[in-house]
Amino acid sequence: MATNFTVQRSTTGNIVVLALNGFLDAHTAPEFEKVVQQEFDGGNVRLIADCGELTYISSAGLGVFMSFIEDIREAGGDLKICNLAPKVAQVFEILGFDSIFEMVPAVADAVKGFENPAKEV
Amino acid sequence: MPSIERTFSLQVPSNTENLAMIRDFVNGIGTRAGLPAADVAKIELAVDEACANVIEHAYGPEVTKEVTVKATIDEETVQIEVVDTGKGFDPGLISQKNLEQLVAERKNGGLGMRLMKTLMDEVHYEVIPGQKNELRMVKRLKKW
C-alpha cells in the first residue's frame, strides 16, 4: 500500500533543493510542512521542490506550498517547483498553482531562475 | 436489458494513515468500471479529499470513529458515497476565496471541495442531523 513519503535535502550554493519522493497527502503533509518550516526558520528562503519522484499529491500537500509562499517571498526568497510528473502537474494546474508558483521542467531551470531572475519568464 | 449494478464498500478507522487504503480501494473500483487511467486518478483524488475532510474536520481527534466508502458501478456511472457520523458542515458556508486570497492569508486548506467539484461530474452533500453525513459523487463512464 502506497503511504511512503520522504524528502531528501541537498544544496547548490545557497539554494536548498528538497527532493520529494512518494505520496504527499493529508497523512504525510505535516512531515513536509515541518521540513519547509525548518528551512524557513533557518533563514533558507531560496528553495526548490524537486518533484521528480513525487507520485501523488492531494490538497493537503498543495496547502503546504500555499501557506509558505508569501512569507518566503517577503523574506526575499522563492519556492520554485520543478520536474512534475504529468499526473501531479495536472493537480497543480487544476487549482491554478501555475499562476502563483514558478513551475519549470528541471532543477537546473529553477537554479537559473534564482541566479538570473531578470530573465525569468 | 436490465441494468447491472455492483456495489462495494470499505469501512476504515478515522485516521489519515488509512487514506492510502481508501485510494487503493477506489483505484480498484475505477479500474473495474473500465474507466481510463486519468479518470481513475481523478476519482481516487476526489475520494481522498472527501475522506481527509471527514477524518480531519468531521471527526477531528476522534480516532475511534469510522469512515465508510460505498461504491456503486452501473452501466453509466461510478457513484461514490462517503459516510460519516461526525460533525457535519454547511456547504454554503465553505470559503469561496480564490487562490490568491488563500495564499495572501497563508492558508493551508480550502482547496478540497473545489478539487472534488472539478474532478467529478456531480457532488452532493447531505446532512441527516443526529444520524449521518453523506457526500455523494458521480463520475459518468461516457461523456455525451
Side-chain angles (χ1 to χ4, degrees):
Chain A
M1 198 164 43
T3 57
N4 62 309
F5 173 72
T6 59
V7 182
Q8 195 170 353
R9 182 186 194 273
S10 62
T11 55
T12 304
N14 64 354
I15 300 166
V16 175
V17 180
L18 302 172
L20 314 187
N21 183 309
F23 293 75
L24 185 48
D25 63 5
H27 188 59
T28 57
E31 200 176 319
F32 180 42
E33 185 177 11
K34 191 176 158 192
V35 168
V36 179
Q37 185 71 57
Q38 280 173 347
E39 295 298 344
F40 184 77
D41 291 345
N44 300 317
V45 290
R46 288 155 70 93
L47 303 173
I48 296 172
D50 176 2
C51 300
E53 299 297 324
L54 186 68
T55 43
Y56 179 85
I57 192 165
S58 72
S59 72
L62 294 167
V64 178
F65 288 94
M66 190 168 77
S67 64
F68 277 102
I69 191 64
E70 281 288 284
D71 286 337
I72 287 172
R73 286 182 177 158
E74 281 180 7
D78 197 11
L79 171 53
K80 300 180 192 296
I81 300 165
C82 67
N83 213 2
L84 288 165
K87 180 186 159 188
V88 177
Q90 189 187 29
V91 184
F92 277 88
E93 286 159 12
I94 283 172
L95 291 169
F97 272 59
D98 47 339
S99 69
I100 304 276
F101 290 85
E102 185 183 345
M103 294 165 61
V104 292
V107 172
D109 300 311
V111 171
K112 273 184 204 164
F114 278 117
E115 290 173 346
N116 198 359
K119 290 187 180 174
E120 281 184 39
V121 179
Chain B
M1 194 170 75
S3 69
I4 301 166
E5 189 175 281
R6 291 160 290 170
T7 301
F8 308 82
S9 67
L10 174 74
Q11 193 168 43
V12 298
S14 178
N15 190 315
T16 53
E17 71 182 2
N18 294 321
L19 288 171
M21 190 184 292
I22 291 168
R23 290 197 298 270
D24 285 351
F25 170 72
V26 174
N27 187 296
I29 294 296
T31 304
R32 176 73 68 92
L35 283 168
D39 281 348
V40 174
K42 286 178 183 174
I43 297 183
E44 211 179 308
L45 178 54
V47 177
D48 178 318
E49 296 293 341
C51 293
N53 278 347
V54 168
I55 294 167
E56 296 194 317
H57 303 299
Y59 287 139
E62 294 183 78
V63 293
T64 56
K65 300 287 187 177
E66 288 179 328
V67 184
T68 303
V69 181
K70 293 179 188 169
T72 304
I73 304 170
D74 62 29
E75 290 172 337
E76 296 179 352
T77 63
V78 174
Q79 297 184 44
I80 308 273
E81 291 169 26
V82 175
V83 182
D84 69 86
T85 57
K87 188 174 62 178
F89 67 94
D90 179 350
L93 296 178
I94 288 182
S95 166
Q96 297 298 316
K97 288 176 182 171
N98 62 35
L99 184 61
E100 286 75 13
Q101 288 171 303
L102 294 171
V103 165
E105 293 173 14
R106 281 79 168 157
K107 297 284 187 193
N108 64 0
L111 301 171
M113 184 58 85
R114 201 171 311 192
L115 257 184
M116 284 182 247
K117 286 181 175 173
T118 305
L119 296 168
M120 302 297 283
D121 292 311
E122 293 175 34
V123 178
H124 308 277
Y125 185 69
E126 187 182 8
V127 177
I128 303 172
Q131 290 184 38
K132 63 177 181 177
N133 311 308
E134 190 174 284
L135 183 78
R136 190 168 67 85
M137 300 183 280
V138 179
K139 192 79 185 169
R140 284 189 277 277
L141 300 182
K142 293 175 187 170
K143 297 281 185 189
W144 302 103

